[in-house]
Each structure stands twice: as structure tokens, then as C-alpha cells.
Amino acid sequence: MDRPVTAGRILGLALPALGVLAAPPLYLLLDTAVVGRLGAVELAALAAGATVFSMLTAQLTFLAYGTTARASRAFGRGDVKGAVTEGVQATWVAVFVGALLFALVQIFAGGITRLLAPDPDVAGAAAGWLRIAAFGIPLTLISQAGNGWMRGVQDTRRPFLYVVGGLGPAALIIVPLVGWLGLNGSAWAMIAGETLTAVFFIRRLVDSATDRDVDKRPSWMLIKRQLVLGRDLILRSLAFQVAFLSAAGVAGRLGAFSLGGHQILLQLWNLLSLVLDSLAIAAQTLVGAALGVGSVAAARFTARRVIAWSTVFAGVLAGVFAVLDSLLPRAFTNADGVLAAIAEGPWWILVAMIPVGGVVFAIDGVLLGAGDAAFLRNATITAVVLGFLPPVWLTLAMGWGLTGVWSGLLAFMVLRLIFVAVRYRGPKWTEATGED
């Protein structure tokens, strides 16, 4: 490779990527705090509407991760025009899929929200919020596509600026808009932010396509290839949803203390996942570029460096969480029952998951960079079925409590570790294309 894979280079890609990953959840915290002052009905309606919105957009992250895999390969072989072409076609996918989802939400919003919120007042308010927020679905997908191709050309700084450039103004206007329009003001503030971010990405894409004489029309051949990769990543994402929704369902049946403890642990794990996933994005970008020039040796060298750094970083995080075992949970609650539910075992399971996650997420990034999405799909689904679901299903019958739920999550991570480690040690991932 033309530049050494140093810690500085990895962090130079990972830190802005972390900002992109962390900014939307931070904005949602502000949104929740503002709407929460309107009352219980509005807060519950936001929870129902936002759940639908996030699940729809979360299933389509292939527009970021899949596009990165393809664009990074093109960039690695010096074909910047090809990388930008991937961005153009991914953006068309975002427009087409986003328009379809927008139409479906307009038609079915009421029925969907009634399933989540039996209270008619809450369901009605949630449906109104969701119909407005649906304008943001294609905008969000356009931004994901933009993130994908720009990561592929190893530019993670601009996407961070674009996301902050959209969410920053949205954060400034959310209070007056909610004061003026009530709950719907929350949706319109989000739309304003997503519009700005999408415009930034589109402008960058159009400028890059014009400079390199890239055809801006849809190419159905390329779109089909992207959708093949997207199919595998969507199924993989659905497996994650099954795991975490099942965990929440069982924790809820264990009682209020267990559910509260599970929520705290889950939010901490989500935060840790964002941090470790940013290193995985660096792995994806660099490995894809190495394979783009056909250098398996460079890809493996890059993979070893990123995996090593991710493992060390995860080990440090695990040490911090182990030392602060009596302090960190109290930052979230003073309820003795919740603290007891966490301290009985789940906290130490979370600590054990951190170094495992450091390796798993890094190799995930390596395999995604290689376009090995079909393997990751199969590995994730198998880990959910064999590793996660049995302990969780048995928890209620055997009285294992929250420890049983988090033991299932640990088993899920360990199985994923075994699968991806074996795959990484073999040659097949370097031959993957994501177009089967």
C-alpha cells in the first residue's frame, strides 16, 4: 500500500466515523428531553414513532457499509471514478427505496402505531409524527449512501462535518418548533437537519461526478449488484434485531428491576459498540483498498494491525469498566433493586463481552471490506439461533434472571468470534466479491 497502516492513520479514519455514528443518538437524547416536557402522551408517541423510523432506516445500513466495500476496492486500484460511480448508484438506490418506504408509511402509519401503542391518543399522535418523519427516510438513506462512498475513498472527515452541519441547526430549532407545533415540531426539526445533511452529501457527489465525468444516470446492472450485497446485510441486521428484541422481551417479564438493569447495560453496550464499530469502519476502508489493488498480503497486514489495535483498545475499556463496577451503574440509577440486578452477574458478563467485541467488530470490518457479506449473514444468524436464543428462552423457566439474558448475549458474541476468526484465518474472504 502507498501509505503505512499506523495507529495515527487508523484513528484518522475511525474518530470522524465515530462522530458520524454517535451524533444521531445524541440528537435523539435531546429530542427526547424536549418532547418529554410536553407530557406522557407525547413522549410515548415519540417513542413509538421513533422506533418504527429507526427500524426502517437501520435495516438499510447496507447503503453505507455495502457501498464502502465496493468503493474502497475501486479506490484501492486507483479508480476514483469507479468509487464515485458506486456513490452515484447507491444514491439512486436510496432515492428509489426511500420513496417506496415513504409511501408505505403514509398508508400504514396508523395501523403500525396502533400495534405499538394500544392507547388511541398515543397511537394517533405517533402516526402524525411518523407521517412527517417519513419525509426523512429518503434523506437519511441518501446520507448513508454518501457516507458509504466517501468512506470508500478514505474521507471520513467531510461526512462528520456534514452530519454535524445538519444536526447542529436541528438542535437549535427543536425547542422553538416543539413550542410552536407540539410533538410534530420534533419531526419537522429532524427533517430540517436531515435535509441539510443530504444536500451536503449530494453536492459533494455531484461535484465529484462532474469532475471525473461520471454518468449520473441509474445503472441497473450496478444497482442490482449493490442490492445483492444489501440483501445479505439486511438479513444480518434482522438477526441482530431478533436477538436484542428477544432480550428486551424476556427482561421485561423478569420484573421492573431486571428490565431497568437491562436497559442500563444495553445502553452502555450500544455506546461501546459505536466506539468499536468506528475502528471496524477503518478496517473496512483500508482492507477494501488493499484488495482493490489485488494485494492479499497488504490486506492481511492491514487486518492484523487494525485487529491488534482494536483488541488493545477494547482491553483498556474492559479494564475501566471492571474498575468502575460500583460507580458507573450509579450514574444511571439509585434504585437498589436495579443495582442489585446488575451486580449479581450481568455487569461482569458485559465486561467480558468488551474484549470479545473488540476482536469481533474488527474482523467484521475486515470481512465487510472484502465483500464477504454472505458469510457474515450466515454466521450472525447461526450465532443468534444456537448461541443466543437457547439461554434466553430457558431463562424464564430456569429462573436465571438477568444473568441468563446476558449469558445469551455473551454466547452470541463468542460464537461470532469463533466463526469470524476461523474465516479470517482462511483464504476465502480475500476472494469474496459480494456479488454472488
Side-chain angles (χ1 to χ4, degrees):
M1 297 184 69
D2 59 341
R3 294 171 56 197
V5 182
T6 63
R9 189 176 179 196
I10 294 169
L11 289 176
L13 292 169
L15 289 178
L18 175 60
V20 171
L21 294 171
L26 290 174
Y27 175 80
L28 288 176
L29 286 176
L30 173 63
D31 192 12
T32 301
V34 173
V35 171
R37 298 185 178 277
L38 295 176
V41 170
E42 289 83 357
L43 185 58
L46 176 65
T51 297
V52 176
F53 183 90
S54 63
M55 289 192 70
L56 286 173
T57 54
Q59 301 310 317
L60 296 170
T61 53
F62 78 88
L63 284 167
Y65 292 92
T67 305
T68 297
R70 295 177 58 83
S72 63
R73 284 193 174 218
F75 181 74
R77 60 179 178 264
D79 182 13
V80 179
K81 180 178 179 178
V84 176
T85 298
E86 294 292 345
V88 170
Q89 300 309 317
T91 301
W92 278 117
V93 173
V95 171
F96 296 145
V97 174
L100 175 62
L101 291 175
F102 170 79
L104 291 174
V105 168
Q106 299 305 314
I107 296 169
F108 297 111
I112 295 171
T113 55
R114 281 194 296 273
L115 290 174
L116 294 174
D119 184 295
D121 291 335
V122 173
W129 183 93
L130 185 57
R131 287 192 175 97
I132 297 170
F135 285 99
I137 294 176
L139 299 172
T140 300
L141 300 187
I142 288 170
S143 297
Q144 288 185 5
N147 259 301
W149 79 266
M150 293 184 73
R151 288 174 186 170
V153 299
Q154 300 186 15
D155 184 356
T156 57
R157 184 182 66 87
R158 282 192 182 92
F160 171 68
L161 296 176
Y162 296 166
V163 170
V164 173
L167 292 183
L172 292 176
I173 65 174
I174 187 171
V175 172
L177 278 179
V178 169
W180 177 31
L181 300 172
L183 174 63
N184 288 345
S186 158
W188 285 117
M190 182 178 70
I191 295 301
E194 289 171 345
T195 299
L196 285 173
T197 300
V199 166
F200 294 146
F201 277 115
I202 289 173
R203 180 178 177 181
R204 179 63 183 171
L205 180 62
V206 170
D207 288 347
S208 298
T210 301
D211 290 345
R212 292 169 176 82
D213 195 28
V214 171
D215 189 351
K216 302 181 184 70
R217 295 171 297 181
S219 168
W220 302 113
M221 180 184 70
L222 286 178
I223 287 174
K224 180 182 177 181
R225 291 176 179 174
Q226 291 184 345
L227 289 175
V228 169
L229 186 59
R231 173 202 63 197
D232 295 329
L233 294 178
I234 288 172
L235 291 173
R236 179 172 180 257
S237 180
L238 285 172
F240 285 124
Q241 296 289 344
V242 168
F244 287 101
L245 287 174
S246 299
V250 172
R253 286 167 173 77
L254 295 174
F257 290 150
S258 292
L259 182 58
H262 177 72
Q263 177 66 10
I264 291 171
L265 292 169
L266 186 60
Q267 293 309 309
L268 288 171
W269 177 246
N270 287 340
L271 175 62
L272 291 164
S273 297
L274 288 176
V275 174
L276 297 175
D277 199 33
S278 66
L279 293 169
I281 288 171
Q284 184 184 4
T285 299
L286 295 170
V287 168
L291 291 176
V293 294
S295 178
V296 174
R300 286 193 174 276
F301 174 79
T302 299
R304 287 195 299 271
R305 293 298 296 268
V306 177
I307 293 168
W309 279 106
S310 183
T311 303
V312 170
F313 186 55
V316 172
L317 287 174
V320 170
F321 272 63
V323 170
L324 300 179
D325 65 299
S326 61
L327 295 179
L328 277 178
R330 293 186 179 276
F332 295 90
T333 182
N334 291 320
D336 291 336
V338 174
L339 293 171
I342 293 174
E344 288 172 357
W347 182 263
W348 298 104
I349 294 174
L350 173 66
V351 172
M353 285 171 59
I354 299 172
V356 175
V359 181
V360 170
F361 288 8
I363 300 180
D364 271 4
V366 170
L367 299 184
L368 280 171
D372 204 7
F375 170 80
L376 288 172
R377 173 201 66 200
N378 295 337
T380 302
I381 292 172
T382 303
V384 168
V385 173
L386 299 182
F388 174 76
L389 292 180
V392 170
W393 285 343
L394 288 170
T395 289
L396 290 175
M398 305 299 292
W400 293 337
L402 197 57
T403 298
V405 174
W406 279 80
S407 294
L409 289 170
L410 177 59
F412 169 60
M413 291 298 298
V414 170
L415 270 184
R416 285 177 65 196
L417 173 62
I418 294 171
F419 292 149
V420 298
V422 171
R423 184 70 165 186
Y424 167 71
R425 290 179 63 84
K428 290 185 177 179
W429 66 270
T430 62
E431 304 163 2
T433 64
E435 297 175 6
D436 299 331

